[in-house]
């Protein structure tokens, strides 16, 4: 996710490159890992390089109901301009004031690192309460086991307080 763009920076405005994105990265401050797959296209602008990314991201998340770890698949689309921090011909650092705060930058080796932007976009796109599935029944409030539509299969507690729920509970117990 690290691209040397010195060639592209030497070309005229409108020149493009396309790369494949693969590999994985670990999100800072969490054990979540991301595995983006897809394409990145770059275009020389008058200021720097415009980067368009469209990737499928597999990330690890914890279900907010049952607390089980699961793989969350999402689509990440972003468009950002990266600006150089050193002068291409002299290698001298550019005046920091000419680089806006919060803008993505190309480092002193003319490399563009997608990692930071991918992390930022993934974090802002993450659901506040991730669910392993919409139908996730969460945890049984009595025994703490994972429960499905028929209850936890251990106690009779559960969303289904019907005769069927109790029967499922009994069957679950008998099967142990
Ligand atoms: Zn769940
Ligand atoms: Zn239970």
């Amino acid at each position: 996710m690290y691209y040397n763009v010195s060639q592209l920076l030497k070309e005229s405005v409108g020149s493009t490159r396309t790369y494949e994105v693969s590999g994985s990265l670990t999100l800072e401050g969490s054990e979540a890992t991301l595995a983006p797959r897809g394409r990145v296209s770059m275009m020389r602008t008058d200021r720097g390089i415009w980067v368009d990314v469209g990737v499928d991201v597999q990330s690890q998340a914890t279900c907010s109901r049952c607390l089980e770890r699961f793989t969350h698949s999402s689509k990440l689309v972003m468009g950002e301009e990266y600006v150089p921090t050193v002068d291409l011909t002299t290698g001298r650092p550019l005046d920091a004031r000419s680089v806006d705060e919060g803008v993505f930058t190309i480092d002193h080796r003319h490399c563009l690192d997608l990692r930071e932007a991918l992390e930022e976009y993934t974090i802002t796109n993450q659901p506040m309460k991730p669910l392993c599935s919409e139908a996730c029944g969460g945890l049984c409030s009595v025994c703490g086991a994972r429960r499905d539509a028929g209850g936890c299969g251990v106690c009779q507690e559960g969303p289904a307080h019907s005769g069927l729920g109790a029967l499922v509970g009994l069957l679950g117990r008998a099967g142990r």
Side-chain angles (χ1 to χ4, degrees):
M1 274 159 257
Y2 200 65
Y3 305 89
N4 188 308
V5 292
S6 56
Q7 255 331 102
L8 186 55
L9 283 170
K10 286 178 197 152
E11 293 173 18
S12 54
V13 171
S15 300
T16 57
R17 288 280 189 290
T18 308
Y19 300 96
E20 295 291 320
V21 183
S22 63
S24 69
L25 53 95
T26 307
L27 277 192
E28 202 109 7
S30 79
E31 77 272 45
T33 52
L34 302 182
R37 295 272 176 283
R39 284 244 158 129
V40 51
S41 52
M42 301 187 187
M43 190 183 75
R44 179 73 166 108
T45 62
D46 54 348
R47 226 160 65 110
I49 289 178
W50 182 266
V51 178
D52 268 316
V53 177
V55 290
D56 292 309
V57 180
Q58 303 269 315
S59 57
Q60 298 295 317
T62 302
C63 176
S64 60
R65 281 189 202 150
C66 70
L67 308 179
E68 209 134 299
R69 300 278 291 165
F70 68 100
T71 304
H72 178 72
S73 300
S74 57
K75 190 123 195 121
L76 188 154
V77 177
M78 67 166 228
E80 288 286 347
E81 190 173 32
Y82 282 70
V83 297
T85 48
V86 296
D87 188 279
L88 190 64
T89 40
T90 64
R92 282 213 203 95
L94 290 175
D95 188 347
R97 280 169 302 178
S98 67
V99 181
D100 302 341
E101 190 77 25
V103 101
F104 291 110
T105 53
I106 300 163
D107 71 15
H108 61 284
R109 283 171 299 193
H110 313 298
C111 284
L112 187 158
D113 192 358
L114 283 184
R115 187 193 158 98
E116 195 189 339
L118 288 178
E119 283 183 2
E120 262 182 35
Y121 274 73
T122 306
I123 290 166
T124 43
N125 285 342
Q126 249 169 6
M128 294 294 283
K129 290 182 186 240
L131 292 177
C132 61
S133 84
E134 282 301 323
C136 176
L139 298 178
C140 171
S141 59
V142 176
C143 72
R146 257 189 102 193
R147 64 184 174 202
D148 51 30
C152 72
V154 180
C155 343
Q156 285 161 36
E157 186 279 339
H161 264 293
S162 62
L164 182 64
L167 183 63
V168 169
L170 282 172
L171 287 172
R173 235 178 317 199
R176 263 154 225 264

